[in-house]
Amino acid sequence: MQFKTIFRLLGLLLMMFSLSMLTPILIDLIFQEAFWLPFFAAFTCTFLTGLLLWFSFRRQHNELKTRDGFLLVVLFWFVLCFFASLPFIFTLTEHSITDAFFESVSGFTTTGASIITHLEGLPSAILFYRQQLQFLGGMGIVVLAVAILPMLGVGGMQLYRAETPGPMKDSKLTPRIAQTAKALWFIYLLLTFVCLLCYWAAGMDWFDALGESFATVSTGGFSMHDSSFAHYQNNTIELIACLFMLLGATNFALHFVAFKKRTLLHYWQDEEFRYYFSFLFVATLIVAVSLILYGFYSANPHAVVKSLFNVISLATTTGFVAEPFNNWPKFIPVLIISLAVIGGCAGSTCGGIKIIRALLVYKQSKREMTRLLHPHAIVTIKFGNHVLPEPILQSMWSFISVFITLFWVLVIVFIALGNDFLTSFSSIIAGLTNAGAGIGTIYSNFAHLSYPSKWVLIVTMIAGRLEIFSLLILFSRHFWQK
């Protein structure tokens, strides 16, 4: 294990991240609120710590191995989330260090589960900083680092494998991994900018449009207001949010091809996207018809917009709320919370098990039924026009089995900590899928949870962001063997 090289890179990454603490100072200067000192203090602490780590091990230039990449990514997420919590620690004095750490982890993992209330009373710099955390975490700051570290003589494939969501981690858009990271970030920035313009044109002021666009494309879920998107009372804004949440939950490789070839046809030609779109359509139809039949809405476009928004928000693991769904017929909140378990497409900013894995479960189930009828038949599983090799199918089943096992273990732990079943069930779904929204006692906020419950969720959110294995592998005996 290249510990000295890992610490050197950790120092470099911390120095890079510290620069993000300067942008809230610019926001503070624009609004003239004289609230810059906490961010300058946080920047100083983070930069100097990173500088000390880098300087101490600056002569270590060994190439990272696969195990080193996993360790660096996990270390970076925990260390970075701690330093990201410093502005909250310095400003939100009524909250504990646990609360500050919870908020930073929730933002960076794009979970969107908040412990802060009365957002409208916060300084603009803090509001912007919360949204910026989601923006950086959406594509993964480690992927950004992969684009920069090669300039410093550091290979990035190990980091990319540990960070990138989805079952096919070795697929690259360009021949060089740094070019892939740059392409991903260019598309991400472009989508965020277009989303900002659309929000502004629909009636948001520029500050709300900036913050909400950060949270929308990253499928983060933090909002600029306590009531989330219900604050705006604007169907056009909600439809814009639906579009960009869907784009954020779509495989960014499809966006790359669309940008490169100037065509949209390949979206529908992609089997994963086609099934995902159909999945969202059916779920929205069920929710809209149910709400009309139960008398919550009359049969009009408003009912469809509210249903569409909440379905897409949870299915993309964003967690925005346009209408409090806690009071809807009981099966509907459970249904739309469960949509977060499946999540979005592989290679996107969202969480969940990913639609490709759910689709492969369905296809393999069909294959097993065919084998029961025809024991000697050789039945392959295709995805698009490609026959999938058995290692990918084995990886898919391994992930789902570990996901389900970990989910129920965490639910039991949460209940043991004094939470009721509904709160425990929805909290773990919200954390493990990075969805952020829940039902039961957490439907509006996570502030009332006990400290042990918050720490369980902190680890759960990071495990979900790293797709579980990147974290669990560190507890394997074989990982530490030479």
Side-chain angles (χ1 to χ4, degrees), residues 21-37 39-40 123-126 128 206-207:
M21 295 179 178
L22 298 178
T23 50
I25 296 178
L26 177 62
I27 297 295
D28 183 72
L29 291 175
I30 292 173
F31 286 94
Q32 298 181 346
E33 294 176 336
F35 205 77
W36 58 271
L37 187 58
F39 290 98
F40 184 77
S124 301
I126 281 287
F128 175 82
W206 73 268
F207 187 59

Side-chain angles (χ1 to χ4, degrees), residues 350-363:
C350 69
I353 65 173
K354 305 294 186 297
I355 195 72
I356 186 174
R357 291 191 179 103
L359 183 57
L360 292 181
V361 168
Y362 168 71
K363 290 191 172 190

Side-chain angles (χ1 to χ4, degrees), residues 214-225:
F214 282 176
T216 304
V217 179
S218 68
T219 63
F222 278 163
S223 178
M224 305 289 280
H225 302 278

Side-chain angles (χ1 to χ4, degrees), residues 2 4-5 8-9 12 54 57-64 152-154:
Q2 309 288 341
K4 293 181 179 179
T5 301
R8 180 178 71 88
L9 295 179
L12 284 172
W54 172 80
F57 303 103
R58 64 190 182 281
R59 293 186 176 88
Q60 304 299 319
H61 291 277
N62 297 322
E63 181 68 22
L64 287 179
L152 307 173
V154 179

Side-chain angles (χ1 to χ4, degrees), residues 246 268 273-291 303-304 307-312 315 331-332 335-336 339 342 355:
L246 181 60
W268 195 250
F273 180 81
R274 194 165 62 245
Y275 273 90
Y276 190 49
F277 189 87
S278 304
F279 168 71
L280 293 176
F281 176 79
V282 171
T284 301
L285 188 64
I286 292 172
V287 173
V289 170
S290 299
L291 290 174
V304 176
S307 303
L308 179 67
F309 185 94
N310 281 324
V311 166
I312 290 184
F331 80 94
I332 295 180
L335 170 64
I336 60 179
L339 297 178
I342 297 177
I355 195 72

Side-chain angles (χ1 to χ4, degrees), residues 9 33 67 90 108 156 196 266 290 307 317 352 371 373 460:
L9 295 179
E33 294 176 336
R67 291 189 300 174
F90 295 155
F108 235 117
L196 186 158
H266 68 285
S290 299
S307 303
T317 68
R371 283 176 171 176
L373 297 174
T460 301

Side-chain angles (χ1 to χ4, degrees), residues 62-107:
N62 297 322
E63 181 68 22
L64 287 179
K65 295 182 172 61
T66 302
R67 291 189 300 174
D68 302 324
F70 281 111
L71 180 59
L72 176 58
V73 167
V74 173
L75 268 178
F76 180 65
W77 274 87
F78 277 98
V79 171
L80 178 112
C81 287
F82 169 75
F83 282 98
S85 69
L86 292 180
F88 297 127
I89 293 173
F90 295 155
T91 57
L92 305 177
T93 54
E94 71 276 13
H95 291 282
S96 65
I97 294 177
T98 296
D99 288 341
F101 194 63
F102 183 97
E103 194 78 8
S104 70
V105 170
S106 182

